[in-house]
Amino acid sequence: IVSVDPSLRRNGFSHRTGMFDLMTTNDDPQLVVRRGQPFVLELTLSRPFNQDTDSISFIFYHTLANYPSVGRKTMVAIPLAMQAEDSTENTWSAVLDKSEGHRITVFITAAANAIIGKWQMEIDSMVKKQGSNNYKHKNLIYILFNAWCKDDAVFIDGAANRKEYVTTEVGAIWKGSYKQPHSSLWKYGQFDKNVLDCSLFLLEKISKLPLTQYGDPVLVGRAVSSAVNSPDDNGVVCGNWSGDFSGGIKPSEWIGSPKILRKYYKTQKPVKYGQCYVFAGVATTVFRALGIPSRTVTCYKAAHDYGCSHTIDIFVDDEGEILPEISKDLIWNYHVWSEIWTKRPDLEPGYDGWQVVDGTPQELSDNLYRCGPAPVIAVKKGDVQKPYDVGYVYSEVNADVIYWKYQGLIQPLKLIKTDTVGVGLYISTKAVGSYEREDLTDQYKYEEKSREERLIMLKALRASDDLKSRYYLNERFNDVKFEFQVQDDITIGNSYSVYLNAKNVSKIKHKVTVILRSATQHYHGEIQNIIKREEKSMTISPDSEEKAVMVLNYEDYSSYIGDDIVYHICALCKVEGTDFEYFAQDDFRIVLPSITIKLEGAPVANKVLYGSAYFKNPLPEKMKNCVFLIEGPGLKKGLKYKIEDVPANAIAKVNFKMTPTFYGKQTIVAKFSSNKLNNIDGHLTVVVAEGNIHRNDVNTIN
């Protein structure tokens, strides 16, 4: 063997790996292929190949194996066959394609369950009854999972699904609230420089997953769940929900995974800072880089059930304020996790498909901060004892919420309210092929209050080891009916109002005391700052109604504008002369402006593209320390622009330029931050026309 041509362009196209930076770099490119599918090698020989007297064998061994072993599947020896033979999907093969002069072309196929990662290749050649020669290929061969191979556990049907969940580089993560959901674009960038190497580094150095398990997507998924957070293993991202982000970057300022993963790969220290959507975005990038179909999923009103009782117990005082020292359970305004698509051979039939994998460090699972993979169908069926962590995910999307009035250590708890429909709302992901929202709620749970949903809840409760059981409100007082609401579609900078309507349906008058309160709430459910509190008294005549209103002006809440701030409102009502108390709470997110992106001319590959990003300042005051961040085709590091202060109701604008390097559908993302407004974003999807030929022009975004 004189030399080996890895046929980068041909293999990159057929294996959908040509976009990897490893394949396109001018500095020592490496071959990246997917298991269970033939890849091509062109061998140059010292003389023409004689099928009658010459024999060739390929030896592959995994670079992480200290002692490569055929029995442990970390070493494989394959003789070159002259023609394809019938074989099982779990075997490697080498088949001669053609022989022309001093060159032969061979097809190598890694087993559909092969260990993923970096492999070294050697080739032994010999003539019958003579000595052998050994050729060591200088470059590594990366082998990944294969969603296109029906014999691979991660195979997913449908070309559109494979494109969306494996090769699409820009996605949308849903945030906000279930009443006002909005999406922020996230650059997964799984093909970017160092991303694949960092993903494999996480398996090797951080997860401590045994090498022999690298071929199992279920165990790889569990390993990645642990490796993307840092509390117990110095993984990729350091979580921070304190509001103090000194020494790092605000979670909301990240607009993609590649920068985070490159920084981690370089320093091997946790990157500061992240929250649930950052953990999920990074995990999804790692999965797609490794070849596992993955997507990010947002659950509004997601419960954090510390005791895994499948109930969320919340305790309030006489003012209607939640007591955090007692109320350990939380309801996040929204929570984001990842899903991966894989078979579950470790379980009985029926649990293949989407699996929840959550990288946010919330609870220990087998002594590490990780969650999943939990089959989504098991969550819906209430199979809370199935691996992995199905019980925890079930509570996140379907726990019942119980409100208790706490009156002191020696006083009995008073049940104020039971909410069986307030958890697990509007479960969302990016739709296939568009930036629209796809609703996944019915995949996780039966319709609220339906017979099936209640039976599943009882099934889950019976399986719990917690002593808590179901509680239902037995309300005897029905004289006064209450309705609590806040006006919809509140735009930042404007005033908003909170309403409590009380209707007396009895034949006697009632006096009612009402406490209305508005506060800021972090998206994970913790109450932060009281904005305004008002106490009112109403005397309601028989068969009539009264309304209590609290108005909040911009001046009331202007000091509490921040990243992912949600506004929490609550009402506590007492009917004098009775023991009846009414408690209600809600939350909402004020509508933020969106950035508009405009381009000068049509985008063309390898041609400078000029554009601008802008929006109107909706605040009645000046914005300072204004920064635009731009991500788009041809930008490996992104662009950062500091602009002058933006007066009230003025336009914040920046001009930018970039040079797309590939043609096809691509996305430009803009993000804005300032001393007053943060997390302002926008995007524009464009189709880049073919321009000058790129050396890997066969690999388009499509």
Side-chain angles (χ1 to χ4, degrees):
I1 311 298
V2 175
S3 64
V4 174
D5 179 358
S7 303
L8 295 175
R9 181 169 169 178
R10 181 175 175 182
N11 287 321
F13 178 74
S14 62
H15 283 253
R16 289 88 172 173
T17 56
M19 292 295 292
F20 276 107
D21 178 80
L22 284 163
M23 293 274 280
T24 62
T25 180
N26 292 319
D27 182 19
D28 199 22
Q30 310 286 316
L31 177 61
V32 183
V33 295
R34 303 186 189 276
R35 66 187 192 178
Q37 176 181 339
F39 61 91
V40 178
L41 298 177
E42 294 186 356
L43 281 58
T44 300
L45 314 177
S46 60
R47 61 167 174 77
F49 180 66
N50 187 328
Q51 297 187 21
D52 296 326
T53 60
D54 298 337
S55 64
I56 296 177
S57 294
F58 296 84
I59 299 94
F60 293 88
Y61 53 91
H62 203 288
T63 58
L64 296 183
N66 294 323
Y67 304 99
S69 164
V70 173
R72 297 174 68 84
K73 299 183 179 180
T74 56
M75 183 176 75
V76 182
I78 335 164
L80 178 64
M82 295 303 105
Q83 58 185 12
E85 301 174 354
D86 292 335
S87 62
T88 66
E89 67 273 12
N90 293 331
T91 59
W92 292 60
S93 65
V95 180
L96 179 67
D97 177 40
K98 61 182 177 180
S99 175
E100 295 178 346
H102 287 227
R103 296 176 66 86
I104 63 171
T105 303
V106 300
F107 288 125
I108 306 291
T109 303
N113 65 347
I115 293 171
I116 66 160
K118 293 179 275 190
W119 291 76
Q120 189 71 56
M121 180 180 70
E122 295 184 7
I123 307 175
D124 284 343
S125 58
M126 64 179 297
V127 181
K128 288 182 179 180
K129 300 181 180 179
Q130 297 183 23
S132 64
N133 295 307
N134 179 266
Y135 173 88
K136 292 185 178 180
H137 188 51
K138 65 176 184 177
N139 291 339
L140 301 175
I141 298 177
Y142 289 68
I143 296 179
L144 309 179
F145 292 104
N146 192 351
W148 287 261
C149 175
K150 291 185 177 180
D151 297 321
D152 196 313
V154 303
F155 170 76
I156 183 170
D157 199 16
N161 287 329
R162 293 189 288 268
K163 179 181 178 182
E164 178 69 40
Y165 301 130
V166 182
T167 62
T168 295
E169 293 190 84
V170 178
I173 297 178
W174 290 87
K175 300 180 184 178
S177 68
Y178 76 96
K179 291 184 177 179
Q180 296 168 330
H182 75 91
S183 64
S184 294
L185 263 65
W186 186 267
K187 181 181 179 182
Y188 296 119
Q190 64 269 33
F191 300 118
D192 282 18
K193 183 178 180 180
N194 296 137
V195 169
L196 178 54
D197 279 324
C198 183
S199 300
L200 293 170
F201 174 83
L202 294 179
L203 294 183
E204 175 190 359
K205 299 295 185 181
I206 306 304
S207 75
K208 308 301 182 184
L209 183 70
L211 178 58
T212 54
Q213 297 176 357
Y214 277 33
D216 185 340
V218 174
L219 297 179
V220 168
R222 190 155 173 77
V224 171
S225 168
S226 169
V228 296
N229 63 62
S230 64
D232 47 21
D233 53 14
N234 289 317
V236 180
V237 178
C238 176
N240 186 340
W241 290 267
S242 70
D244 179 7
F245 304 115
S246 55
I249 294 178
K250 289 182 180 180
S252 63
E253 292 185 3
W254 296 113
I255 56 179
S257 306
K259 187 175 180 180
I260 297 172
L261 289 167
R262 278 195 293 270
K263 184 174 182 180
Y264 179 76
Y265 191 52
K266 180 179 180 181
T267 65
Q268 297 185 22
K269 294 181 180 179
V271 178
K272 300 178 180 179
Y273 293 103
Q275 292 174 359
C276 66
Y277 50 90
V278 178
F279 291 108
V282 170
T284 299
T285 294
V286 172
F287 289 131
R288 292 188 183 185
L290 298 177
I292 301 175
S294 182
R295 63 187 182 186
T296 53
V297 172
T298 299
C299 176
Y300 293 96
K301 293 296 185 181
H304 184 166
D305 178 15
Y306 279 91
C308 208
S309 63
H310 312 308
T311 58
I312 302 301
D313 297 288
I314 299 176
F315 303 88
V316 300
D317 62 12
D318 290 334
E319 294 285 316
E321 293 191 23
I322 295 174
L323 300 172
E325 65 273 17
I326 305 175
S327 305
K328 299 302 181 182
D329 295 340
L330 293 172
I331 301 176
W332 298 52
N333 185 51
Y334 68 88
H335 182 52
V336 186
W337 55 71
S338 301
E339 285 182 352
I340 62 173
W341 179 278
T342 182
K343 293 179 180 178
R344 288 301 299 264
D346 57 317
L347 299 175
E348 62 267 30
Y351 295 97
D352 297 346
W354 289 114
Q355 318 281 322
V356 174
V357 179
D358 192 349
T360 301
Q362 298 182 91
E363 294 290 327
L364 292 172
S365 176
D366 294 335
N367 301 313
L368 289 174
Y369 282 102
R370 56 186 172 184
C371 180
V376 172
I377 186 60
V379 176
K380 183 172 184 176
K381 292 165 60 177
D383 293 334
V384 296
Q385 295 179 323
K386 296 291 184 185
Y388 294 91
D389 308 304
V390 172
Y392 183 79
V393 179
Y394 177 86
S395 291
E396 284 187 300
V397 303
N398 212 33
D400 283 359
V401 185
I402 303 176
Y403 295 90
W404 300 95
K405 176 74 171 295
Y406 179 76
Q407 304 175 93
L409 287 174
I410 61 174
Q411 298 298 320
L413 291 171
K414 182 179 180 181
L415 181 61
I416 298 177
K417 180 182 179 183
T418 299
D419 181 4
T420 64
V421 299
V423 167
L425 307 180
Y426 224 55
I427 303 176
S428 308
T429 192
K430 174 187 175 296
V432 173
S434 78
Y435 289 105
E436 298 300 315
R437 188 188 75 89
E438 179 183 348
D439 193 285
L440 304 178
T441 309
D442 63 350
Q443 296 185 23
Y444 278 83
K445 56 199 297 187
Y446 290 97
E447 184 178 356
E448 295 288 6
K449 293 187 177 180
S450 68
R451 181 175 182 273
E452 293 89 348
E453 188 267 338
R454 287 293 87 194
L455 289 175
I456 293 296
M457 168 57 79
L458 292 174
K459 172 184 174 182
L461 289 166
R462 293 189 187 104
S464 174
D465 293 330
D466 196 278
L467 294 177
K468 297 187 185 75
S469 61
R470 300 288 296 111
Y471 294 95
Y472 292 95
L473 181 61
N474 183 15
E475 183 180 326
R476 296 179 179 178
F477 180 83
N478 293 297
D479 283 8
V480 182
K481 304 294 184 181
F482 294 92
E483 183 181 3
F484 181 54
Q485 66 183 73
V486 65
Q487 68 185 79
D488 295 328
D489 299 327
I490 303 164
T491 302
I492 195 162
N494 295 335
S495 301
Y496 67 91
S497 299
V498 177
Y499 305 92
L500 189 285
N501 191 67
K503 184 176 183 180
N504 185 356
V505 297
S506 71
K507 300 302 180 182
I508 61 173
K509 68 180 179 180
H510 284 287
K511 187 175 182 179
V512 178
T513 301
V514 180
I515 297 175
L516 298 174
R517 182 169 58 86
S518 178
T520 58
Q521 176 184 10
H522 202 282
Y523 79 90
H524 60 61
E526 178 184 352
I527 301 299
Q528 294 179 309
N529 300 288
I530 304 299
I531 299 175
K532 195 171 185 177
R533 178 191 179 279
E534 290 185 357
E535 184 170 340
K536 304 174 183 290
S537 293
M538 301 185 297
T539 300
I540 313 174
S541 300
D543 296 319
S544 62
E545 57 185 89
E546 297 287 340
K547 180 180 290 186
V549 181
M550 182 173 69
V551 179
L552 291 98
N553 299 311
Y554 174 72
E555 292 75 17
D556 294 321
Y557 67 84
S558 61
S559 299
Y560 305 105
I561 301 174
D563 297 337
D564 287 308
I565 287 295
V566 174
Y567 294 90
H568 176 270
I569 54 173
C570 74
L572 180 64
C573 308
K574 301 178 181 178
V575 180
E576 290 189 7
T578 73
D579 292 329
F580 180 79
E581 293 180 328
Y582 169 85
F583 177 79
Q585 65 173 3
D586 204 347
D587 54 63
F588 62 93
R589 182 186 174 96
I590 290 180
V591 178
L592 300 176
S594 297
I595 297 174
T596 299
I597 300 174
K598 285 193 174 181
L599 304 179
E600 297 179 11
V604 179
N606 298 312
K607 181 180 178 181
V608 178
L609 176 65
Y610 296 92
S612 60
Y614 59 90
F615 72 96
K616 183 178 180 181
N617 177 11
L619 304 181
E621 62 177 319
K622 181 187 297 184
M623 294 188 299
K624 302 179 181 180
N625 305 323
C626 302
V627 176
F628 274 97
L629 299 175
I630 307 292
E631 283 277 1
L635 298 177
K636 291 193 173 182
K637 294 185 177 180
L639 303 174
K640 183 176 182 178
Y641 297 96
K642 295 182 180 179
I643 65 171
E644 296 181 352
D645 295 349
V646 181
N649 299 312
I651 300 297
K653 183 177 181 179
V654 67
N655 297 316
F656 61 85
K657 65 178 181 178
M658 60 185 65
T659 304
T661 53
F662 292 91
Y663 62 89
K665 185 184 291 186
Q666 302 193 44
T667 303
I668 300 170
V669 182
K671 204 172 188 73
F672 175 86
S673 63
S674 69
N675 68 319
K676 283 294 180 181
L677 286 183
N678 292 293
N679 213 14
I680 308 299
D681 54 28
H683 71 275
L684 178 66
T685 299
V686 299
V687 177
V688 180
E690 184 175 0
N692 296 330
I693 299 298
H694 187 279
R695 70 184 191 86
N696 261 357
D697 68 294
V698 73
N699 300 300
T700 72
I701 294 299
N702 291 326

